Amino acid sequence: MSGFEFESLEKTLEKYIPENELTEVKRILFGNPTKNLELHSSAEIVASERDFELQGHAFQSAPEQLRASRRVRVGLIQNRTVLPTDAPILDQISAAHSRIAELVEVAAMCDVNIVCFQETWTMPFAFCTREKEPWSEFAESAEDGPTTRFCQELAKKYNMVIVSPILEREALHNTLWNTAVVISNSGQVLGKTRKNHIPRIGDFNESTYYMEGNTGHKVFQTQFGKIAVNICYGRHHPLNWLMYSMNGAEIIFNPSATVGALSEPMWSIEARNAAIANHCYTCAINRVGTEHFKNEFTSGDGKKAHHDFGHFYGSSYVSAPDGSRSPGLSRTRDGLLVVELDLNMNRQISDKWSFKMTGRYAEYASELAKVVSEDFKPNIVKE
Amino acid sequence: MSGFEFESLEKTLEKYIPENELTEVKRILFGNPTKNLELHSSAEIVASERDFELQGHAFQSAPEQLRASRRVRVGLIQNRTVLPTDAPILDQISAAHSRIAELVEVAAMCDVNIVCFQETWTMPFAFCTREKEPWSEFAESAEDGPTTRFCQELAKKYNMVIVSPILEREALHNTLWNTAVVISNSGQVLGKTRKNHIPRIGDFNESTYYMEGNTGHKVFQTQFGKIAVNICYGRHHPLNWLMYSMNGAEIIFNPSATVGALSEPMWSIEARNAAIANHCYTCAINRVGTEHFKNEFTSGDGKKAHHDFGHFYGSSYVSAPDGSRSPGLSRTRDGLLVVELDLNMNRQISDKWSFKMTGRYAEYASELAKVVSEDFKPNIVKE
């Protein structure tokens, strides 16, 4: 990756390209323009004091005669880990809680209905080290661990649905999972959903720590719409997105932790393609910053041992079913992205493009069943 | 769509953004940079004389110890219809043949191994009119129609595989199909493959003319690699791409005809996502220009009757499995895009990212079978 401290794609385009051409560039790159969402000036001030970026955008949708618009505000939070990775674990967790409380308070000032944090948000993304300890100690009960209880308080206080992706320890079988806990705006734990696809690539040694999820493609009915959580690497799997959508998801969150050299050119493609292909909203969230580890480790790439995983490039964004997307948060700073969307757009775009009706899913179900059988013969035509 | 005659995204970025930031912009937008591919200067001269754009790019891949690199040159051709849409049909077809012969000759000068033309390349995209005649008269036999015979001559002459998407008339049952004929570099017809998903949107009244294809997800083994053809609207369906890949496709062509106001922000997303998700190359081809029809028609959008379908925005491009993509052809001009790629990259990236191994397809086959049953109950969690 270039050493150039590149803040954001959108800002660079706006800085250099003249207005009339910029409109076309943005149309081609980002689709129908989002509107600027007016946020309370006090929110702007507090965000600035707390040193994080605050952006507000709204997707434009059409009114209908028989349904009132179903406007929802989602909040995407990206943040650096607060304390050094060798600070005492309880201190690291407390510091993460405090930082998130600062961001969620501003989300509440912006009337956010559903907020989602980044993947395993209470800890550094320490799987690169392949050390089991102390990192496994960050794992908590999804149902009543301290982080879930902390989120329940916030949810009740602000009348906000909270998606809280953590490292889960299931005590009964003593297994670890990469899990998102969904907490209702009432403060109740609505349920949990686990990461379905575990990476086997680079320093993402997650398969060393936990297995593919066993919770299928649950969708959570909240007061503000039906939501699902496709955790991190699951965004590379179109069938994963499809199945959340098939179960009725209107908004699919994708809390992630991914680094620049590896995935950045794919980042703006995959969640957006999923919004288009499935007639729903998708929210891609990535952490920011570089996390340093005390013990050196190698990366399976023949290079020298080192102490960090690379730069998490942030760039969290929201995609709409009409192919448009919001601007992204910064590549380098903590941030809260507030996006207002109308859930009615999902059906409107589905009525327009009809991907679900033209999908021929019965035939794919049958074809896919054949593909996975041991005696599958590919359909190859030869001269 | 803006009236601004916007030539290409890439050219605008290059015009305004300073070098060091441009590198980052391009990395984020387009991935690993393609190399400029030196083409014979005579090819450049002839292309210029014949008034079409010629671009040459090469994806960079790593050498291996046990396999020689398998470098292949693909040619993507986009072109305006040559004659007015009310010229005699035979004249229109002949003019299309002549124009394509001009472009393919230059492709041969550039050592192209596999060339693909745009969707239904011998005719205007007349389905917007909903008139059956005279447009149905453009339909030909895939096996021995004049266009297939014409392509066989070219294929043999230039030792080139040709993908020729036409409107097919199957004489036995007198049915029409949207079909791609694949012709081996020997001149033999290797086979045909039909459009699997038919749009129900806007002026794409194709479902009035032909039905969903019945040829499944055939892959054609050519001397230059295993190829498949996902025609136009099929690019919106991730399962369609997946199944071509599951049958072994190394390069998937997507000959299309699509217009700006509708699909342009999705154009750069879908074929590229498919290359990433399936560890293969994808080649997206769109026609260019605006086609005028003598009889006015309405578009089901409450607006006044008119005589054209909108602007076909060209912008043909190639995506690689590592998430990178080639620059696109112009939005407004005829063009030939020559891209050299190494088929070895598919396996390299698959080894790196392992989407096929982590795909859990057996579970999706079973889930998808449930989804399409009439008594499917979505997995929705409520408070």
Side-chain angles (χ1 to χ4, degrees):
Chain A
M1 195 174 50
S2 157
F4 188 77
E5 264 292 311
F6 194 83
E7 180 66 21
S8 100
L9 176 66
E10 293 83 347
K11 281 183 188 155
T12 301
L13 301 179
E14 283 165 9
K15 184 167 163 193
Y16 294 111
I17 301 176
E19 193 58 31
N20 62 344
E21 283 165 273
L22 183 63
T23 304
E24 273 295 89
V25 165
K26 284 188 167 181
R27 181 183 70 80
I28 292 170
L29 284 178
F30 308 133
N32 286 333
T34 48
K35 270 195 323 188
N36 189 45
L37 184 64
E38 280 301 326
L39 302 173
H40 295 287
S41 61
S42 53
E44 311 265 10
I45 291 165
V46 175
S48 166
E49 284 168 2
R50 294 178 180 171
D51 192 23
F52 64 84
E53 184 186 18
L54 175 62
Q55 289 191 33
H57 308 284
F59 287 107
Q60 308 193 50
S61 62
E64 300 180 17
Q65 291 193 34
L66 300 187
R67 299 194 302 181
S69 67
R70 295 186 296 149
R71 302 205 75 82
V72 170
R73 287 196 184 182
V74 294
L76 282 59
I77 290 179
Q78 66 178 37
N79 62 291
R80 298 168 181 273
T81 49
V82 183
L83 293 187
T85 60
D86 59 349
I89 289 176
L90 214 51
D91 293 355
Q92 289 190 58
I93 294 175
S94 292
H97 286 188
S98 300
R99 182 58 171 160
I100 281 292
E102 291 185 338
L103 282 136
V104 170
E105 188 184 26
V106 174
M109 293 164 78
C110 298
D111 304 317
V112 163
N113 305 115
I114 309 172
V115 73
C116 181
F117 312 146
Q118 66 205 19
E119 186 182 16
T120 62
W121 70 272
T122 63
M123 62 182 289
F125 212 69
F127 313 113
C128 54
T129 65
R130 298 197 315 286
E131 302 159 352
K132 288 285 174 109
E133 296 305 332
W135 316 117
S136 296
E137 289 201 60
F138 279 92
E140 302 181 27
S141 159
E143 285 73 21
D144 57 9
T147 295
T148 293
R149 289 200 306 273
F150 165 79
C151 291
Q152 288 181 281
E153 289 305 311
L154 287 182
K156 202 156 52 182
K157 179 172 177 186
Y158 297 125
N159 187 34
M160 201 183 288
V161 172
I162 294 183
V163 180
S164 168
I166 61 168
L167 186 63
E168 177 196 4
R169 182 181 297 276
E170 193 206 19
L172 178 62
H173 307 101
N174 189 32
T175 47
L176 300 190
W177 300 95
N178 186 316
T179 300
V181 185
V182 178
I183 295 148
S184 168
N185 53 319
S186 70
Q188 294 288 312
V189 175
L190 201 45
K192 67 183 173 189
T193 182
R194 290 170 173 155
K195 184 169 180 170
N196 276 329
H197 300 268
I198 309 297
R200 269 90 172 152
I201 174 171
D203 273 340
F204 295 85
N205 306 305
E206 296 165 65
S207 65
T208 307
Y209 294 83
Y210 41 78
M211 303 295 288
E212 279 73 12
N214 60 354
T215 50
H217 295 89
K218 281 186 199 172
V219 167
F220 299 91
Q221 172 75 66
T222 77
Q223 186 186 323
F224 311 110
K226 294 200 283 288
I227 68 172
V229 194
N230 175 351
I231 303 175
C232 197
Y233 184 78
R235 78 178 171 282
H236 305 299
H237 291 280
L239 276 162
N240 201 32
W241 296 102
L242 173 70
M243 218 51 71
Y244 289 116
S245 169
M246 283 297 190
N247 281 290
E250 296 173 302
I251 307 170
I252 308 176
F253 292 93
N254 175 233
S256 299
T258 185
V259 287
L262 186 74
S263 66
E264 195 164 1
M266 298 151 69
W267 178 250
S268 64
I269 304 294
E270 294 160 307
R272 191 160 165 215
N273 190 74
I276 295 168
N278 299 297
H279 302 314
C280 67
Y281 291 92
T282 61
C283 304
I285 301 166
N286 186 21
R287 60 175 67 198
V288 280
T290 304
E291 297 169 356
H292 297 274
F293 297 94
K294 193 173 154 193
N295 303 330
E296 66 178 10
F297 59 93
T298 54
S299 295
D301 57 3
K303 294 187 184 153
K304 279 203 175 309
H306 50 105
H307 294 267
D308 75 79
F309 189 9
H311 175 66
F312 296 101
Y313 53 80
S315 308
S316 305
Y317 71 99
V318 179
S319 285
D322 68 349
S324 59
R325 58 157 284 176
S326 77
L329 287 176
S330 149
R331 295 180 69 255
T332 57
R333 294 183 65 202
D334 287 10
L336 166 64
L337 179 66
V338 179
V339 175
E340 186 173 288
L341 42 88
D342 181 357
L343 297 178
N344 283 0
M345 197 206 275
N346 292 349
R347 198 176 85 177
Q348 291 168 8
I349 298 297
S350 178
D351 283 353
K352 179 177 176 186
W353 277 99
S354 307
F355 296 154
K356 289 275 168 59
M357 287 203 294
T358 58
R360 307 185 75 179
Y361 300 109
E363 286 159 74
Y364 285 108
S366 142
E367 276 196 67
L368 200 53
K370 284 180 201 148
V371 163
V372 296
S373 80
E374 206 188 349
D375 59 355
F376 171 64
K377 294 269 184 306
N379 188 352
I380 296 180
V381 181
K382 291 178 180 153
E383 197 166 346
Chain B
M1 194 175 52
S2 157
F4 187 77
E5 265 292 310
F6 193 83
E7 180 66 20
S8 100
L9 175 66
E10 293 84 346
K11 282 184 186 153
T12 301
L13 301 179
E14 283 165 9
K15 185 167 163 192
Y16 295 112
I17 300 176
E19 194 58 29
N20 61 344
E21 285 166 272
L22 183 63
T23 304
E24 272 296 89
V25 165
K26 284 187 166 180
R27 182 184 68 81
I28 292 170
L29 284 178
F30 307 133
N32 286 334
T34 48
K35 271 195 321 190
N36 189 45
L37 185 65
E38 280 301 326
L39 301 173
H40 294 287
S41 61
S42 53
E44 311 265 10
I45 292 164
V46 175
S48 165
E49 285 167 4
R50 292 175 183 174
D51 193 23
F52 63 85
E53 185 186 18
L54 175 63
Q55 290 191 32
H57 308 284
F59 287 107
Q60 306 193 50
S61 62
E64 300 180 16
Q65 293 192 35
L66 300 186
R67 299 193 302 179
S69 66
R70 296 186 295 147
R71 302 205 75 82
V72 170
R73 287 194 184 184
V74 294
L76 282 60
I77 289 178
Q78 64 177 37
N79 62 290
R80 296 166 181 274
T81 49
V82 183
L83 293 187
T85 60
D86 60 349
I89 289 175
L90 214 48
D91 293 354
Q92 289 189 60
I93 294 175
S94 293
H97 287 188
S98 301
R99 182 57 170 161
I100 280 292
E102 291 184 339
L103 283 136
V104 170
E105 188 185 24
V106 175
M109 295 163 76
C110 298
D111 303 317
V112 163
N113 305 116
I114 309 171
V115 72
C116 182
F117 312 146
Q118 66 205 20
E119 186 181 17
T120 61
W121 70 272
T122 63
M123 61 182 290
F125 212 69
F127 313 113
C128 54
T129 64
R130 299 197 315 286
E131 302 159 352
K132 289 284 175 113
E133 295 307 332
W135 316 115
S136 296
E137 288 200 61
F138 279 92
E140 301 182 27
S141 160
E143 286 74 22
D144 58 8
T147 295
T148 294
R149 289 200 307 271
F150 165 79
C151 291
Q152 289 180 280
E153 288 306 311
L154 288 182
K156 203 156 52 182
K157 180 171 176 186
Y158 297 124
N159 188 34
M160 200 184 289
V161 172
I162 294 183
V163 179
S164 167
I166 61 168
L167 185 63
E168 177 196 3
R169 182 181 297 275
E170 192 205 21
L172 179 62
H173 308 102
N174 191 31
T175 46
L176 299 191
W177 300 95
N178 186 316
T179 300
V181 185
V182 178
I183 295 147
S184 167
N185 53 319
S186 70
Q188 295 288 311
V189 175
L190 201 45
K192 66 183 174 188
T193 184
R194 289 168 174 157
K195 184 170 180 169
N196 277 329
H197 299 269
I198 309 297
R200 269 89 172 152
I201 174 170
D203 273 340
F204 295 85
N205 306 303
E206 296 164 66
S207 65
T208 308
Y209 293 83
Y210 41 79
M211 303 296 287
E212 279 73 12
N214 59 354
T215 50
H217 295 88
K218 280 185 200 174
V219 168
F220 300 91
Q221 172 74 67
T222 76
Q223 187 187 324
F224 311 110
K226 295 200 280 287
I227 67 172
V229 195
N230 174 352
I231 303 175
C232 197
Y233 184 78
R235 79 178 170 281
H236 306 300
H237 291 279
L239 277 162
N240 200 33
W241 296 102
L242 172 70
M243 218 49 73
Y244 289 116
S245 169
M246 283 296 192
N247 281 290
E250 297 173 300
I251 308 169
I252 308 176
F253 292 93
N254 175 234
S256 299
T258 184
V259 287
L262 186 73
S263 66
E264 195 164 1
M266 298 151 70
W267 178 249
S268 65
I269 304 294
E270 293 161 308
R272 192 161 163 214
N273 190 75
I276 296 168
N278 299 296
H279 302 314
C280 67
Y281 291 93
T282 61
C283 304
I285 300 165
N286 185 22
R287 58 175 68 198
V288 281
T290 304
E291 297 169 356
H292 297 273
F293 297 93
K294 193 174 154 193
N295 303 328
E296 66 178 10
F297 59 93
T298 55
S299 295
D301 58 2
K303 294 187 182 153
K304 278 205 176 307
H306 50 104
H307 293 268
D308 75 79
F309 188 11
H311 175 65
F312 296 99
Y313 53 80
S315 308
S316 303
Y317 70 100
V318 179
S319 285
D322 67 349
S324 60
R325 58 158 285 178
S326 77
L329 286 176
S330 148
R331 296 180 68 255
T332 57
R333 294 184 65 202
D334 287 10
L336 166 64
L337 179 67
V338 179
V339 176
E340 186 173 287
L341 43 88
D342 180 357
L343 297 178
N344 282 0
M345 198 207 276
N346 292 349
R347 199 177 82 178
Q348 291 169 8
I349 298 296
S350 178
D351 283 352
K352 178 176 176 187
W353 278 98
S354 307
F355 297 155
K356 289 275 167 60
M357 287 204 294
T358 58
R360 307 185 75 179
Y361 300 110
E363 286 160 72
Y364 286 108
S366 142
E367 277 196 64
L368 200 53
K370 284 180 200 147
V371 163
V372 296
S373 80
E374 205 188 349
D375 59 356
F376 171 64
K377 295 268 184 306
N379 187 353
I380 296 180
V381 181
K382 291 178 181 155
E383 197 166 347

